[in-house]
């Protein structure tokens, strides 16, 4: 009798012949272009990774999942899997209607029969699912500032999976992994969930877990969406492949999981357990602060270090997969080996390097000791993260109209060009409006789109080793945060708040724009009839009142030098 974890599970795909016919029919349907997160969700719906879900959640299932981590029929399911869409698209769709779901290239991946349409209470969703309605949490920020305002629910019919051009040999569906385990004769498999490069502590943790569970090891890293600021998946997979030969080939394999993480801590751990069960695993490692997003707005951790283990343990029988819980692993110098932090004898010399310290050492080109990581991993990370003085970066000025942003930005550009070590591009607000966004007005939607365009161009400059200097008003904090997250994938983002007072900006106004705005002749004018969200924690704040432009630009140069972005 075949073990339950090895038997094939249902998928949502139709046959190849039916798919060809359905694809033609779907071309006539209203179609929604999926976001990157929705593509990840749809793939795992179609291939069985999200079993028992048959599609995006109905309103009844959504409400039940948000409130009690269960579908409406009582089945354990901790995470809302929803199709969020724009108001405009939702207006043209009614329950009972079929829609086509396309990837970002326009390829039809599936159809969906809409059974439900509703406007969710996102504050309630944030508080119940993530523990707080706090936009310091990346998923809460996504919920309020990226996700569409209307949810659609209904069953999905799969036509074809998304195409992945990278690491094809490392990508497996749940049924492909189950078939591999059957072929290898593996009956017990422990999964290691990771979104970070593997260092020596991770290797020791996985070795111990496999021994404790008497199981084979599946290294199962997430290569969909993780936390903003994480190492990109291309670099991480090269790191994984570089150290895979440190593991015994007969008892270890690796497969990539195209999952969009929510960083939901305890709920996410339960969700990961269900996903790994669907992929044929019998055990899963749940470590300290599993899928934690970091600090909240008050500077405290969102979740306790072992909250995820506690919730997983509570639901372990229903998940159908055993937890292998591990504490933090640290290096004991006296014995030259890694041990669990809670097992170390008093007086032992413990060495550890935090993620922050690792990034500092990479940034400054400092030594990373062999006891901490493998030379192959360090080599890949150094290739991706050269010293900061050799990376591209973005200086993003923000402030009221007339504050002096453009003047300081021009002076800074000239100073950096004088240094000559990297190409410099100035993306001034007025110039961008003329050449990149001439069709846009000044509504919030158009202002956001303009700043997003500036952010995209700056991210490309940064990615390719150049310096981008941006000088828009950029009045909205949420949009500036989105631009920061986009750029920080490739290099540093240095926000400079030009904090000139409104009164001084009005006094300088040669074009009379403020006067016209106060008279109501210019609508949606920042600082008068439209808000300006002052940056709470910019890298630098400068005030131009009574200060020469050259001095302001020099303050920025000194900041760039202190951050290691330019040579002293």
């Amino acid at each position: 009798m075949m073990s339950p974890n090895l038997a094939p599970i249902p998928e949502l795909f139709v046959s190849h012949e039916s798919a060809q016919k359905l694809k033609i029919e779907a071309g006539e349907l209203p179609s929604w272009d999926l976001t990157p997160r929705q593509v990840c969700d749809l793939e795992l719906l179609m291939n069985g990774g999200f079993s028992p879900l048959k599609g995006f959640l109905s309103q009844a299932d959504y409400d039940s999942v948000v409130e009690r981590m269960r579908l409406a029929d009582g089945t354990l399911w901790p995470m809302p899997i929803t199709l969020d869409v724009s108001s405009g698209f939702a207006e043209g769709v009614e329950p009972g209607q079929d829609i086509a779901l396309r990837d970002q290239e326009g390829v039809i991946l599936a159809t969906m029969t809409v059974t439900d349409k509703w406007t969710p209470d996102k504050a309630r969703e944030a508080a119940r699912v993530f523990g707080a309605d706090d936009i310091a949490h990346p998923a809460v920020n996504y919920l309020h500032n990226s996700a569409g305002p209307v949810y659609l629910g209904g069953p999905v019919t799969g036509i074809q999976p998304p195409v992945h051009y990278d690491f094809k040999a490392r990508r497996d569906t749940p049924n492909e992994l189950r078939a591999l385990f059957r072929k290898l004769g593996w009956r017990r498999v422990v999964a290691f969930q990771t979104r970070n490069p593997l260092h020596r502590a991770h290797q020791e943790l996985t070795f111990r877990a496999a021994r404790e569970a008497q199981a084979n090891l599946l290294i199962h890293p997430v290569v969909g969406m993780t936390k903003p600021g994480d190492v990109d998946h291309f670099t991480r997979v090269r790191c994984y492949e570089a150290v895979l030969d440190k593991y015994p080939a007969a008892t270890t394999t690796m497969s990539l999981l195209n999952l969009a993480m929510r960083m939901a801590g305890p709920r996410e751990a339960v969700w990961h357990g269900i996903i790994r069960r669907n992929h044929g695993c019998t055990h899963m490692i749940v470590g300290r602060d599993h899928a934690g997003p970091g600090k909240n707005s008050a500077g405290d951790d969102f979740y306790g270090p072992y909250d995820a283990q506690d919730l997983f343990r509570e639901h372990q029988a229903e998940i159908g997969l055993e937890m292998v819980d591990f504490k933090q692993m640290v290096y004991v110098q006296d014995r030259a080996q890694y041990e669990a932090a809670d097992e170390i004898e008093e007086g032992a010399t413990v060495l550890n390097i935090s993620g922050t310290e690792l990034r500092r050492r990479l940034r400054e080109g400092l030594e990373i000791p062999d006891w901490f990581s493998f030379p192959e991993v360090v080599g890949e990370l150094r290739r991706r993260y050269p010293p900061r003085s050799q990376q591209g970066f973005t200086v993003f000025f923000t402030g009221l109209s007339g504050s002096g942003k453009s003047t300081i930005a021009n002076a800074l550009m000239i100073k950096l060009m004088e240094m000559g070590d990297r190409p410099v591009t100035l993306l001034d607000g007025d110039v961008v409006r003329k050449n990149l966004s001439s069709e846009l007005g000044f509504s919030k939607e158009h202002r956001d789109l303009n700043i997003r365009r500036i952010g995209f161009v700056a991210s490309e400059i940064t990615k390719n080793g150049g310096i981008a200097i941006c000088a828009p008003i950029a009045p909205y904090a949420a949009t500036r945060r989105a631009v920061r997250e986009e750029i920080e994938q490739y290099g540093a983002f240095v926000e400079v708040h030009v904090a000139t007072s409104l009164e001084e900006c009005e006094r300088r106004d040669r074009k009379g724009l403020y006067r016209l705005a106060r008279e109501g002749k210019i609508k949606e004018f920042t600082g008068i009839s439209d808000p300006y969200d002052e940056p709470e924690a910019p890298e630098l704040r400068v005030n131009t009142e009574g200060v020469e432009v050259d001095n302001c630009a020099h303050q920025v140069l000194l900041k760039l030098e202190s951050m290691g972005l330019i040579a002293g």
Side-chain angles (χ1 to χ4, degrees):
M1 182 174 174
M2 188 180 297
S3 301
N5 66 301
L6 301 181
I9 62 170
E11 297 182 347
L12 303 182
F13 292 108
V14 296
S15 67
H16 177 74
E17 294 76 17
S18 297
Q20 301 312 304
K21 180 182 177 184
L22 185 57
K23 191 182 297 184
I24 295 171
E25 295 172 354
E28 304 299 318
L29 297 175
S31 64
W32 174 252
D33 291 342
L34 298 163
T35 65
R37 184 162 100 167
Q38 291 168 350
V39 171
C40 292
D41 287 350
L42 179 63
E43 179 172 3
L44 287 166
L45 283 169
M46 294 191 297
N47 68 22
F50 282 173
S51 180
L53 301 191
K54 299 295 190 291
F56 291 98
L57 296 186
S58 67
Q59 186 172 1
D61 281 331
Y62 164 81
D63 287 336
S64 184
V65 166
V66 167
E67 288 299 326
R68 60 192 189 105
M69 295 205 327
R70 295 184 180 278
L71 302 175
D73 66 5
T75 303
L76 180 69
W77 187 268
M79 198 62 57
I81 305 299
T82 52
L83 185 68
D84 56 279
V85 300
S86 65
S87 299
F89 182 78
E91 287 173 4
V93 177
E94 293 300 330
Q97 192 172 354
D98 287 348
I99 62 173
L101 302 178
R102 299 176 183 265
D103 68 12
Q104 293 181 307
E105 299 296 322
V107 176
I108 298 175
L109 303 179
T111 62
M112 172 178 154
T113 301
V114 178
T115 59
D116 296 77
K117 180 173 76 169
W118 74 100
T119 301
D121 181 345
K122 291 186 176 182
R124 178 180 70 109
E125 180 179 337
R128 298 294 296 162
V129 176
F130 305 109
D133 187 18
D134 181 347
I135 62 168
H137 193 299
V140 175
N141 180 60
Y142 183 96
L143 187 65
H144 286 303
N145 295 312
S146 296
V150 181
Y151 287 178
L152 303 180
V156 161
T157 301
I159 295 174
Q160 66 184 75
V163 175
H164 300 289
Y165 297 106
D166 58 325
F167 308 113
K168 283 178 173 287
R170 296 287 186 193
R171 295 180 182 269
D172 304 285
T173 68
N175 278 324
E176 286 170 342
L177 271 182
R178 286 171 173 242
L180 175 64
F181 299 156
R182 288 198 300 273
K183 180 178 179 180
L184 296 175
W186 290 7
R187 296 295 178 267
R188 296 166 65 86
V189 182
V190 59
F192 179 52
Q193 143 86 31
T194 181
R195 60 177 229 273
N196 295 308
L198 292 182
H199 302 298
R200 292 189 187 272
H202 301 113
Q203 183 194 46
E204 181 59 33
L205 185 153
T206 52
F207 280 162
R208 283 186 172 213
R211 284 198 302 269
E212 182 174 307
Q214 296 183 331
N216 297 282
L217 176 65
L218 170 67
I219 300 174
H220 208 201
V222 171
V223 294
M225 298 174 68
T226 59
K227 182 182 174 184
D230 280 353
V231 177
D232 66 275
H233 82 267
F234 299 103
T235 300
R236 287 191 287 113
V237 174
R238 290 197 299 270
C239 289
Y240 302 142
E241 291 185 329
V243 301
L244 202 55
D245 62 0
K246 312 288 184 187
Y247 289 85
T251 58
T252 304
T253 192
M254 182 175 77
S255 182
L256 309 183
L257 179 65
N258 195 45
L259 173 70
M261 290 183 67
R262 271 60 164 184
M263 310 305 298
R267 279 198 183 219
E268 183 117 359
V270 173
W271 188 41
H272 288 172
I274 295 170
I275 293 167
R276 273 26 186 255
R277 176 201 69 198
N278 290 335
H279 281 78
C281 300
T282 57
H283 298 71
M284 188 178 88
I285 299 169
V286 181
R288 184 180 184 278
D289 194 26
H290 184 97
K295 305 291 185 183
N296 62 21
S297 294
D300 302 319
D301 290 335
F302 270 96
Y303 312 114
Y306 301 111
D307 286 356
Q309 292 183 359
D310 293 341
L311 190 67
F312 196 108
R313 191 177 291 109
E314 182 182 337
H315 296 284
Q316 185 168 268
E318 274 190 280
I319 295 170
L321 176 142
E322 290 184 40
M323 175 175 69
V324 183
D325 59 327
F326 269 99
K327 306 295 189 289
Q328 184 181 12
M329 303 296 295
V330 293
Y331 186 74
V332 181
Q333 187 178 34
D334 312 352
R335 291 188 286 281
Q337 65 184 23
Y338 276 90
E339 297 180 10
D342 62 344
E343 298 174 2
I344 298 169
E345 299 170 4
E346 189 175 346
T349 303
V350 173
L351 303 179
N352 192 25
I353 292 179
S354 66
T356 301
E357 174 64 11
L358 173 63
R359 288 189 290 274
R360 186 187 74 85
R361 291 183 181 224
L362 287 169
R363 184 171 66 240
E364 299 180 13
L366 301 176
E367 179 196 6
I368 296 170
D370 286 345
W371 61 260
F372 176 77
S373 193
F374 305 97
E376 300 91 336
V377 171
V378 174
E380 287 293 343
L381 292 175
R382 288 203 190 281
R383 189 152 65 105
R384 173 62 181 84
Y385 298 102
R388 267 192 157 180
S389 60
Q390 298 171 25
Q391 292 181 22
F393 63 88
T394 292
V395 180
F396 193 94
F397 289 93
T398 175
L400 295 170
S401 176
S403 60
K405 302 181 302 299
S406 298
T407 308
I408 301 170
N410 269 292
L412 177 66
M413 177 184 68
I414 292 168
K415 289 176 180 292
L416 290 170
M417 290 177 70
E418 180 185 5
M419 297 172 70
D421 61 340
R422 278 164 285 188
V424 185
T425 303
L426 175 61
L427 300 170
D428 179 70
D430 291 338
V431 175
V432 169
R433 277 277 178 182
K434 178 181 177 182
N435 294 291
L436 198 62
S437 299
S438 59
E439 85 286 9
L440 298 183
F442 291 89
S443 66
K444 183 179 189 306
E445 180 184 3
H446 280 192
R447 286 170 183 260
D448 281 346
L449 181 55
N450 181 53
I451 300 305
R452 294 277 191 151
R453 288 177 179 177
I454 291 173
F456 170 74
V457 175
S459 72
E460 290 296 305
I461 293 168
T462 300
K463 178 170 67 175
N464 288 286
I467 300 171
I469 302 174
C470 310
I473 294 173
Y476 308 123
T479 314
R480 295 197 300 265
R481 173 173 171 165
V483 170
R484 175 186 288 273
E485 289 177 356
E486 182 173 13
I487 289 170
E488 285 185 337
Q489 298 178 69
Y490 309 113
F493 179 90
V494 184
E495 185 177 41
V496 180
H497 178 209
V498 183
T500 310
S501 68
L502 177 62
E503 294 74 21
E504 176 66 14
C505 291
E506 287 197 66
R507 190 187 65 76
R508 296 176 182 177
D509 183 18
R510 290 174 296 178
K511 299 177 183 177
L513 299 177
Y514 279 96
R515 177 177 54 80
L516 293 172
R518 289 197 180 278
E519 293 172 356
K521 296 176 181 178
I522 299 179
K523 305 296 183 184
E524 300 171 315
F525 193 87
T526 300
I528 305 298
S529 53
D530 206 60
Y532 177 75
D533 301 335
E534 283 205 4
E536 292 183 1
E539 277 71 18
L540 181 65
R541 207 183 300 272
V542 298
N543 193 323
T544 62
E545 297 179 47
V547 182
E548 293 181 357
V549 171
D550 192 64
N551 180 271
C552 293
H554 194 67
Q555 288 181 52
V556 181
L557 275 182
L558 289 173
K559 184 64 180 179
L560 297 178
E561 183 182 327
S562 72
M563 295 175 69
L565 293 167
I566 59 175

